[in-house]
Amino acid sequence: MRIYYVMETRGRRCHVLSALGVDVRAWNRLHRRVREWHRRLKQRHGIPANEERRLSDLLTATSPADPSCGCDCHTQSVPPHGTEMVAQGLRVVEDFAVETGGVGIINVCLDMDKTPAHRRVALDRLFNRVNATADREGGYALLIFGQEPDDIVVRTYERLRSHNPVPVRVGACGDGWHTRNLPIDRIIGGPVFRDPGADCLLQVAGIVAHALLWREEPSASGMDAGENVGAFTVLDHALNLRASRHDSRGIVRR
């Protein structure tokens, strides 16, 4: 069984959902690694190690603006230590994946202009990829969302539990299509909602989501293009490449 920690972010063009899947047999070890990383952040940057502050918020912190200005012309910037924090956090996950194989990250990145109902579609894609992964592994999954309870998330889950039409190739050459109903019965318990400020693994999932957004939209980091856009490339073994055969990094884009 895997527990997936799900965070989302969006820029001007892209809507991103990142799910950090942790094998329950590896959960304690990964949790200790992440807590140790938090302790190092406290020592180097004075960031509290008790998870009460959201690291993803720190990554997108802004400098105080003129309170009399109501425009959006001020560029948001990552704090000076933000790039280092992102790289460290992603490296913790990647190194753990190499050593244990106990994590798998599923990413969904949709162009909001090309996908009108982008949030519902992104959730649909995420639920289906998680379910397919669990089915392939012969296990089950539980999803924890880093947000307040959300009716859209719950309704999408409940709909896919009973009605989930999926196109399947048919024919001798696989050149035809047929729709089958494949309920997501490998995702159990329903969506769980939790404050990211109280969960260090949700915070790591948030960093993955931000790193992917910065890769797709360099301007979203508020820094020079070379500063953060390469952060996502730290991840390799930790990515679930089978989530999408159309993308070399396994990113679901449609």
Side-chain angles (χ1 to χ4, degrees):
M1 178 175 174
R2 288 184 186 264
I3 303 175
Y4 284 85
Y5 295 85
V6 185
M7 292 287 283
E8 68 178 302
T9 188
R10 67 185 65 183
R12 294 184 177 181
R13 179 176 57 85
C14 297
H15 178 242
V16 174
L17 271 176
S18 292
L20 172 67
V22 184
D23 190 309
V24 293
R25 294 167 295 186
W27 191 94
N28 284 317
R29 285 175 288 167
L30 179 61
H31 190 265
R32 285 194 295 268
R33 292 277 187 94
V34 174
R35 290 297 297 271
E36 177 58 32
W37 171 55
H38 274 217
R39 283 191 286 271
R40 293 198 299 270
L41 290 179
K42 181 178 182 180
Q43 293 171 356
R44 296 178 184 179
H45 307 296
I47 298 173
N50 58 4
E51 292 89 56
E52 290 181 358
R53 296 178 66 186
R54 302 184 186 190
L55 292 178
S56 58
D57 289 345
L58 293 172
L59 296 179
T60 54
T62 58
S63 301
D66 183 348
S68 63
C69 178
C71 69
D72 296 324
C73 61
H74 299 286
T75 301
Q76 295 186 347
S77 61
V78 177
H81 53 263
T83 303
E84 181 182 350
M85 287 170 48
V86 171
Q88 288 178 359
L90 298 182
R91 180 58 64 188
V92 168
V93 176
E94 176 65 13
D95 289 348
F96 191 82
V98 171
E99 294 172 18
T100 71
V103 297
I105 300 172
I106 296 176
N107 292 294
V108 179
C109 180
L110 300 182
D111 187 316
M112 293 187 289
D113 291 334
K114 297 180 181 179
T115 313
H118 55 84
R119 189 157 187 265
R120 181 188 59 78
V121 174
L123 288 166
D124 183 298
R125 302 297 184 264
L126 179 67
F127 280 128
N128 270 286
R129 266 46 176 204
V130 170
N131 188 78
T133 300
D135 184 60
R136 186 165 58 246
E137 296 175 345
Y140 294 88
L142 174 70
L143 272 65
I144 300 176
F145 288 78
Q147 62 181 75
E148 295 291 328
D150 189 318
D151 285 344
I152 295 179
V153 177
V154 174
R155 288 200 304 268
T156 301
Y157 170 77
E158 292 178 345
R159 172 174 58 82
L160 296 177
R161 284 281 295 182
S162 58
H163 181 64
N164 182 32
V166 176
V168 179
R169 288 185 182 274
V170 297
C173 299
D175 53 354
W177 291 93
H178 174 70
T179 299
R180 295 176 55 193
N181 183 37
L182 300 175
I184 54 169
D185 54 2
R186 293 285 178 167
I187 302 177
I188 61 174
V192 177
F193 300 94
R194 186 175 296 171
D195 178 8
D199 193 310
C200 62
L201 294 182
L202 278 172
Q203 292 171 12
V204 172
I207 289 175
V208 174
H210 277 89
L212 176 54
L213 178 64
W214 295 341
R215 177 179 185 264
E216 301 297 316
E217 295 187 35
S219 61
S221 70
M223 301 184 75
D224 293 337
E227 293 286 347
N228 277 321
V229 294
F232 188 78
T233 61
V234 169
L235 298 174
D236 185 14
H237 294 81
L239 297 175
N240 183 341
L241 300 180
R242 299 183 67 174
S244 174
R245 67 177 185 273
H246 302 291
D247 186 275
S248 61
R249 311 291 285 175
I251 302 169
V252 181
R253 299 185 180 277
R254 60 185 183 182

